[in-house]
Amino acid sequence: MLWRKLFRDLWLNKTAYIACLTVIIIGLMMYVSMAICYDNLETAKNRFYEEQNFADGFVKVRGMPITQVTQLERIEGIEQVQGRIVKDVRVYAPDRDENVYLRLVSVDPNKEVAINQVRIVDGVPIQGKERNILVDPAFFEANELQLGSVVSVIAEGRKVDLSIAGTAQNPEFVYAMRTAQDLYPSPETFGIAYLPFDVLSNMFSSGANVNDIVFTVREGFTYLDVEEQLRPTLRRYGLEYIIPRDKQVSNVILQQELEQLEATVATIPIVFLGIAAMVVYIMLRRMVEQQRGQIGTLKSFGYTSREILFHYLAYGVVLGIAGGLLGGLAGIALAYPLTILYQSFFALPGLESEFSIRYLFFGILLSLGFSVIAAYQGSKGLLKLQPAEAMRPPAPPVAKRIFIEKIKPLWAILSIQGKMATRNLFRNKLRAFFILIGVSFSFAMIAVSGYFSSVGDLIIGEQFEKVQTYDAKVVFSSPLEKSQVENELWGAQGVKNLETILEAPVSLEKEWRSKDILLMGLPDGGVLYNVIDDKGNKVELYNNGIYLSEHLAKDLQVGVGASLELDSPFLKGEPLTIYVAGVISQNIGSTAYMRYEYLTELLGQGKIVTSALLNIDQEHIRLLKERYQEATMVASIEDKEQTMSQITELLETFSYTTWILVLFAAACGFAIIYSTSIISLSERQRELASLRVLGMSSKEVFEVLSFEQWTISLFAMLAGIPLAYGMVTGIAQSIDTDIMVIPVVFEPHTFMLAAAGTVASILIAQLSVYRRVTKLSLVDVLKERD
């Protein structure tokens, strides 16, 4: 009999239960899908790193004889060390407008267990001294290449043909970017190619000198033990940087994504299930209060309090199992496209999704736990009821004036409906608080989703409109004389403005803390590359000191006026002591700045430059590329407009994901408001019917409910502003790295979007409630016996 009553009650209040079920399903769908993606990424990463012997340390030097590399194995703590040649070259593609680059990485085909061992995906291994290469699969597919086809590259001004023997992956380039400023992989214009050491050494004048070293650390030692010994040894070979695995760009981004997924998995289900639990609690509490008579009758027929309690717990069980099952299955289904999306960014073999019975079970268990606890809290009061007491209506609450009534000017402006709604709001504080929490989270989630849809545009806009104001950047393969570069480039067609800069690899040390970074020397009065503060104003580099990004200053734990030790392969003589002249905000990269004149004076190398920034018409950039297509000293020519176009296109892809999250948040808000509205209507339908009998129209009666909801929602939206700010701050701190810093700057339109989404959810929910008010049967409601 109790089961029949259960299903009858569920059917009578099906819309409120469906709304609650929707919140559970959304929460579990996100939890299960993210948890599966996390497992897929983590498992694929660990397996790939272990199988391919991923390095523990990465070193960049200007040049070191390969014969000297083996000497490094004598350093205590090093298990294995390997010297490589790594060179970026342009692909000879005269029919394409954009530059295409390949990073050539030397490998030893005869080594059985190499560090960062290349994993062949397709084709045959490369052998001997033939110019065969293995390219990464993403570049291979994006450029529609074929096995056996020839790729021509420009190496030191010479055109070299390389034959594709196959495709291969390497744990070092799971997330392959040419520079940290690129933000996203672009396989159409950048790829990795592997070729034998002997072949690569013959392509460049540096011969058998390596410029890249990787090593693994012996068990029982740490990376820092090895770095301490390696750094002074490598200084004579022009040490540019030495970093551990956890600072390697590809690994940083992969690890960052894993940490975000882990944080999402830990918080999202708690938020959604917590909201659903609040709704279940309110519904069950209201039901128990309304069914006091039925509970008394059941007890008088011999049903024990425990049996009746289990009956009401069954509502939570049904909701928990249904929500857990549907949410779990939806999450497993969503994990497939999400994993495919990750495949497009992370080159991890074995990154695939599959049906997870474990997370389906966890989802049901989680949903069941929240629902049953909420149901118990909502119905435990019936244990105290005696049959005779339960069959009597509850004593009416003590009526007293609320404090707002004492504020007469405010109370006087309220309509009759407003006064009734305000009194009811303060007499049901717990329910009002739950609604406020739910609407606040809905508002904050829409605001956070909207924020991340616009922050990309904000960062890109600031970087390319305020910082990098040049049209093209010419990067040289080695430092050149400033006067020679300026004489040459001013002769190029279409050049309107030209500034040369020096980008020197330096090591900054403060006590035991050190950072290897790129120090940019900017010309006085330059306008093509600007250092800006957190308000977007240009910072003039007046003093003879160094300017650090906030992230860099934080890592070194220094402020303005602090001293640092500077060392560089460009430096003549011993390391120098310099002073921090300023700390500036920077969203992309972790760079330091200095006046060009002061930097060249410190280095003692004369007036050398490594890059030239140009203001040039777009149609002349192509001519510039053609002019220096085979130039020995030109490493690359970057077209800013082309870079912006690629990044913008990628951001548009992400915007679809953002709008899905906005939809989920709005659906959550609708479910909360709708279910609580239905509960409020159910509780007060006798009171509202009485108002109709006394002459109020349906619209006037509905205003009693809507006034209460709008009042709570207004305060909920205000509370959602700091909540959104806190959520974004937490996310931004979790992804604060050398590569990118997320600014916590909310634009007004973000909150307007959140307010619009929340208001739309409230209006839709209220429309449904209004229809119910118009259909109230006054006779049926009023004849119900208290």
Side-chain angles (χ1 to χ4, degrees):
M1 184 181 74
L2 292 180
W3 283 106
R4 286 201 300 274
K5 176 179 176 299
L6 166 70
F7 290 113
R8 189 172 60 246
D9 287 341
L10 287 174
W11 178 253
L12 288 174
N13 297 285
K14 56 183 177 296
T15 48
Y17 284 110
I18 289 173
C20 180
L21 199 61
T22 303
V23 178
I24 298 175
I25 291 172
I26 291 174
L28 283 180
M29 180 174 66
M30 297 180 73
Y31 162 70
V32 172
S33 60
M34 298 291 181
I36 292 175
C37 285
Y38 175 84
D39 276 2
N40 293 339
L41 274 173
E42 180 74 9
T43 303
K45 183 201 80 169
N46 291 339
R47 184 171 55 234
F48 193 37
Y49 282 8
E50 185 179 350
E51 290 177 353
Q52 308 310 126
N53 194 23
F54 190 39
D56 294 315
F58 299 80
V59 180
K60 182 79 172 174
V61 293
R62 297 190 72 182
M64 181 178 185
I66 185 66
T67 52
Q68 295 297 314
V69 175
T70 52
Q71 302 296 320
L72 299 177
E73 290 183 348
R74 298 177 182 175
I75 291 178
E76 191 177 24
I78 285 187
E79 183 177 37
Q80 195 177 358
V81 64
Q82 192 173 311
R84 308 181 302 180
I85 300 173
V86 178
K87 297 281 188 181
D88 281 7
V89 295
R90 273 177 294 150
V91 175
Y92 183 74
D95 55 332
R96 295 178 64 170
D97 292 333
E98 72 276 22
N99 287 321
V100 182
Y101 299 95
L102 268 179
R103 179 161 297 165
L104 304 181
V105 181
S106 70
V107 295
D108 184 352
N110 300 319
K111 206 172 186 70
E112 291 185 1
V113 184
I115 302 174
N116 296 345
Q117 179 79 37
V118 170
R119 174 184 178 274
I120 296 177
V121 178
D122 195 13
V124 297
I126 47 178
Q127 297 289 340
K129 298 185 179 181
E130 295 181 1
R131 288 180 173 172
N132 293 331
I133 59 172
L134 299 169
V135 298
D136 73 83
F139 182 82
F140 185 82
E141 291 177 14
N143 290 279
E144 300 179 349
L145 300 172
Q146 300 292 327
L147 294 181
S149 60
V150 172
V151 175
S152 299
V153 300
I154 306 298
E156 294 190 338
R158 292 181 298 111
K159 182 181 168 190
V160 180
D161 293 334
L162 302 170
S163 178
I164 298 177
T167 60
Q169 294 172 310
N170 181 328
E172 193 177 351
F173 302 107
V174 168
Y175 194 87
M177 294 192 301
R178 183 163 169 264
T179 67
Q181 283 73 32
D182 288 348
L183 298 181
Y184 304 105
S186 176
E188 295 83 5
T189 57
F190 176 68
I192 313 296
Y194 309 93
L195 62 171
F197 182 87
D198 291 340
V199 175
L200 190 51
S201 62
N202 288 330
M203 288 171 57
F204 293 90
S205 57
S206 55
N209 285 342
V210 300
N211 63 346
D212 189 277
I213 299 169
V214 288
F215 62 88
T216 55
V217 177
R218 194 181 300 279
E219 191 174 348
F221 292 85
T222 66
Y223 165 83
L224 291 176
D225 295 334
V226 175
E227 183 193 338
E228 190 177 345
Q229 301 174 72
L230 262 180
R231 191 174 283 276
T233 305
L234 295 174
R235 189 163 285 153
R236 77 189 69 160
Y237 300 107
L239 174 64
E240 294 189 9
Y241 65 75
I242 173 169
I243 56 172
R245 174 192 289 191
D246 59 12
K247 297 289 184 185
Q248 199 264 337
V249 173
S250 171
N251 185 56
V252 165
I253 294 175
L254 178 55
Q255 196 59 38
Q256 192 179 76
E257 186 62 34
L258 283 167
E259 288 171 4
Q260 287 180 39
L261 277 175
E262 190 175 23
T264 305
V265 168
T267 55
I268 286 294
I270 302 298
V271 172
F272 278 86
L273 291 177
I275 291 171
M278 286 191 295
V279 177
V280 172
Y281 167 76
I282 295 171
M283 288 168 60
L284 263 295
R285 189 175 175 188
R286 188 268 304 173
M287 184 183 293
V288 169
E289 288 172 357
Q290 286 192 330
Q291 295 183 355
R292 284 172 61 96
Q294 296 178 29
I295 293 169
T297 304
L298 289 171
K299 286 192 172 184
S300 67
F301 276 106
Y303 284 93
T304 64
S305 295
R306 180 172 296 179
E307 287 174 321
I308 299 172
L309 177 64
F310 283 159
H311 163 68
Y312 284 101
L313 289 180
Y315 290 85
V317 172
V318 170
L319 270 178
I321 292 177
L325 187 63
L326 293 174
L329 290 173
I332 291 170
L334 183 61
Y336 284 93
L338 283 179
T339 303
I340 292 173
L341 184 64
Y342 279 117
Q343 287 173 352
S344 63
F345 290 99
F346 298 104
L348 281 170
L351 179 59
E352 294 175 352
S353 189
E354 57 185 20
F355 189 89
S356 172
I357 192 70
R358 180 163 67 103
Y359 280 111
L360 180 61
F361 176 74
F362 281 167
I364 294 173
L365 203 62
L366 203 58
S367 171
L368 199 57
F370 271 81
S371 301
V372 169
I373 290 173
Y376 174 75
Q377 292 296 327
S379 56
K380 66 179 181 181
L382 63 86
L383 293 173
K384 302 175 185 175
L385 292 176
Q386 296 300 319
E389 180 189 0
M391 295 180 75
R392 292 197 303 269
V398 178
K400 60 180 181 180
R401 296 175 69 190
I402 60 176
F403 77 94
I404 290 184
E405 292 186 54
K406 299 175 184 175
I407 309 173
K408 292 186 178 177
L410 177 61
W411 189 251
I413 62 174
L414 293 178
S415 63
I416 293 296
Q417 292 90 335
K419 290 175 180 174
M420 293 175 66
T422 306
R423 287 196 184 104
N424 187 64
L425 191 154
F426 280 90
R427 287 168 185 167
N428 294 279
K429 295 185 184 70
L430 185 61
R431 191 181 65 199
F433 175 73
F434 283 163
I435 297 172
L436 186 139
I437 294 293
V439 176
S440 295
F441 268 109
S442 176
F443 176 90
M445 289 178 64
I446 297 175
V448 171
S449 302
Y451 172 80
F452 280 101
S453 73
S454 62
V455 72
D457 294 334
L458 178 70
I459 294 174
I460 300 304
E462 184 174 278
Q463 185 68 21
F464 290 105
E465 292 173 9
K466 294 182 178 178
V467 178
Q468 299 173 217
T469 53
Y470 55 82
D471 298 313
K473 179 180 180 181
V474 182
V475 181
F476 307 117
S477 52
S478 61
L480 298 174
E481 285 292 328
K482 175 182 169 71
S483 57
Q484 291 180 354
V485 170
E486 291 179 346
N487 289 337
E488 170 64 26
L489 289 177
W490 273 118
Q493 192 174 359
V495 175
K496 298 174 182 175
N497 194 5
L498 164 66
E499 291 175 6
T500 51
I501 62 173
L502 174 60
E503 295 172 291
V506 299
S507 174
L508 300 176
E509 289 188 22
K510 178 67 176 177
E511 299 172 349
W512 66 91
R513 295 176 289 274
S514 69
K515 291 287 289 185
D516 296 317
I517 50 103
L518 207 60
L519 174 57
M520 295 183 69
L522 301 176
D524 292 339
V527 295
L528 299 185
Y529 193 101
N530 303 302
V531 179
I532 61 172
D533 60 21
D534 55 357
K535 296 179 181 175
N537 301 317
K538 183 175 179 179
V539 176
E540 295 293 343
L541 309 182
Y542 288 120
N543 302 316
N544 289 338
I546 190 169
Y547 287 73
L548 306 178
S549 66
E550 283 182 345
H551 184 81
L552 187 55
K554 185 179 171 184
D555 280 353
L556 293 169
Q557 296 186 17
V558 294
V560 176
S563 62
L564 291 170
E565 187 177 278
L566 179 147
D567 195 8
S568 169
F570 287 11
L571 178 65
K572 271 188 176 179
E574 296 298 314
L576 303 168
T577 299
I578 57 170
Y579 292 91
V580 179
V583 176
I584 47 96
S585 63
Q586 184 170 322
N587 297 324
I588 298 179
S590 186
T591 318
Y593 303 93
M594 193 178 276
R595 289 176 55 242
Y596 172 80
E597 295 292 336
Y598 183 52
L599 177 57
T600 52
E601 180 186 330
L602 288 178
L603 297 178
Q605 297 279 5
K607 303 296 182 186
I608 57 171
V609 297
T610 54
S611 304
L613 312 177
L614 306 176
N615 266 156
I616 183 172
D617 293 332
Q618 192 64 31
E619 62 267 25
H620 290 116
I621 293 180
R622 183 180 176 82
L623 298 176
L624 190 73
K625 290 178 181 176
E626 290 176 357
R627 176 171 175 160
Y628 298 109
Q629 179 76 30
E630 299 180 9
T632 308
M633 299 307 295
V634 176
S636 64
I637 298 177
E638 299 171 7
D639 183 346
K640 190 183 79 171
E641 186 171 306
Q642 189 181 94
T643 305
M644 284 182 63
S645 173
Q646 290 170 350
I647 294 177
T648 304
E649 188 178 338
L650 199 59
L651 287 176
E652 288 175 355
T653 306
F654 287 135
S655 66
Y656 295 113
T657 308
T658 303
W659 284 109
I660 290 173
L661 292 176
V662 169
L663 191 63
F664 282 167
C668 178
F670 168 78
I672 293 164
I673 295 163
Y674 179 76
S675 38
T676 51
S677 300
I678 294 297
I679 292 167
S680 183
L681 175 63
S682 176
E683 281 179 343
R684 305 172 65 187
Q685 59 181 354
R686 184 177 178 79
E687 173 190 342
L688 300 177
S690 300
L691 294 175
R692 290 286 312 280
V693 171
L694 292 174
M696 276 193 180
S697 66
S698 298
K699 183 182 176 185
E700 289 170 329
V701 168
F702 172 70
E703 285 174 1
V704 177
L705 295 174
S706 65
F707 185 92
E708 181 180 337
Q709 288 175 345
W710 282 117
T711 303
I712 297 173
S713 299
L714 176 62
F715 285 101
M717 285 188 276
L718 292 175
I721 293 174
L723 182 61
Y725 189 86
M727 292 168 73
V728 168
T729 302
I731 296 171
Q733 288 176 348
S734 70
I735 56 179
D736 186 355
T737 65
D738 288 347
I739 299 169
M740 179 180 284
V741 174
I742 300 293
V744 185
V745 182
F746 274 99
E747 298 289 337
H749 71 267
T750 305
F751 291 122
M752 291 171 66
L753 170 69
T758 308
V759 168
S761 302
I762 295 170
L763 287 175
I764 295 172
Q766 288 191 346
L767 180 63
S768 178
V769 174
Y770 177 70
R771 287 176 180 164
R772 282 177 169 256
V773 171
T774 58
K775 293 178 181 176
L776 271 181
S777 173
L778 305 185
V779 176
D780 290 343
V781 171
L782 292 175
K783 77 179 180 182
E784 286 182 1
R785 193 168 70 84
D786 281 338

